[in-house]
Amino acid sequence: LGHHGVVKQLIAAGAPLDSGFQISAPVASTSVAVPDVAMNGSGRFVVSWQTFRGMFDENNVSVSVIELRARMFAADGAAIGPELVVAPDAGGNIVANDPAVAIDDDGDFVVAWQRTARVAGQNYQVLAQRYNGLGVRQGSPIVAARSSLDNLSPEIISRVDVAMDGDGDFVLAWSESRFTGLTLGGNPYFPIPLPRINSRVTSANLY
């Protein structure tokens, strides 16, 4: 069975305006996770989420397809255009996680996320992609930060968030944690022993 995201609109006092509606069509063997939503002063809003789909390749090997998507909605809940693929699947070792979205007064918006590379010699990144009010991608993704490539003391980026003002300026924030300890094959996903956090900071960039 396929999973789908659901949105419910509320008035300022917290009372629901509707019984909830789907933001994405159910797709077999597909899960929807980590949704985020942003609304501007006119009631227009954008929802972002991650999809995870299991499938078999041409060699009958189980693989995962992970994408980040977004969709615009009018104040009455009517969808504005189709789903947008913000970050397409980039292969099993490159994963886009934890999308966050923000919108300005004109309906322009930005989606930010963490990119994880599950292989030695790769790193974590913070990325952001702008869209105009029609849902058209504006330029290439912005790479706001990259983690250290030091395999013996890896730096992990997580908890990406974004906020945008009415004119479209936005700020990105994220957490950086550095671990110490041995790793297996230079891969921080398999520490020996379990790593300890040596330092943790929160960073931010303005755009």
Side-chain angles (χ1 to χ4, degrees):
L1 295 178
H3 297 258
H4 57 269
V6 175
V7 166
K8 179 176 284 189
Q9 293 179 292
L10 307 174
I11 63 174
L17 291 174
D18 52 52
S19 59
F21 55 90
Q22 294 181 13
I23 61 171
S24 60
V27 178
S29 302
T30 299
S31 297
V32 175
V34 290
D36 194 31
V37 63
M39 177 180 281
N40 65 15
S42 66
R44 181 167 174 162
F45 62 97
V46 181
V47 182
S48 63
W49 67 94
Q50 181 192 60
T51 65
F52 177 93
R53 178 163 55 96
M55 58 183 296
F56 292 93
D57 64 14
E58 64 276 7
N59 298 315
N60 205 34
V61 176
S62 177
V63 296
S64 300
V65 176
I66 300 175
E67 295 181 334
L68 298 187
R69 293 177 172 253
R71 197 171 195 183
M72 303 178 296
F73 294 87
D76 62 359
I80 302 174
E83 297 178 16
L84 304 171
V85 179
V86 178
D89 182 76
N93 289 322
I94 308 295
V95 180
N97 296 303
D98 299 333
V101 64
I103 188 172
D104 70 10
D105 291 344
D106 295 328
D108 306 324
F109 64 96
V110 61
V111 182
W113 68 95
Q114 174 226 52
R115 176 183 179 273
T116 303
R118 296 178 175 174
V119 290
Q122 298 283 339
N123 60 3
Y124 291 75
Q125 294 180 345
V126 176
L127 296 101
Q129 177 65 61
R130 282 184 176 272
Y131 290 83
N132 66 18
L134 299 175
V136 177
R137 185 184 297 261
Q138 302 297 290
S140 300
I142 299 166
V143 181
R146 286 187 173 92
S147 65
S148 167
L149 292 178
D150 182 358
N151 287 323
L152 294 180
S153 183
E155 185 178 62
I156 309 300
I157 290 176
S158 61
R159 301 182 182 276
V160 176
D161 201 5
V162 63
M164 176 176 275
D165 67 14
D167 295 326
D169 300 322
F170 66 94
V171 60
L172 292 168
W174 62 91
S175 175
E176 299 174 0
S177 301
R178 182 172 292 279
F179 293 81
T180 58
L182 297 175
T183 59
L184 177 61
N187 191 332
Y189 278 80
F190 303 97
I192 304 176
L194 290 175
R196 65 180 179 84
I197 296 176
N198 188 45
S199 63
R200 177 180 284 137
V201 297
T202 299
S203 301
N205 281 355
L206 289 169
Y207 293 89

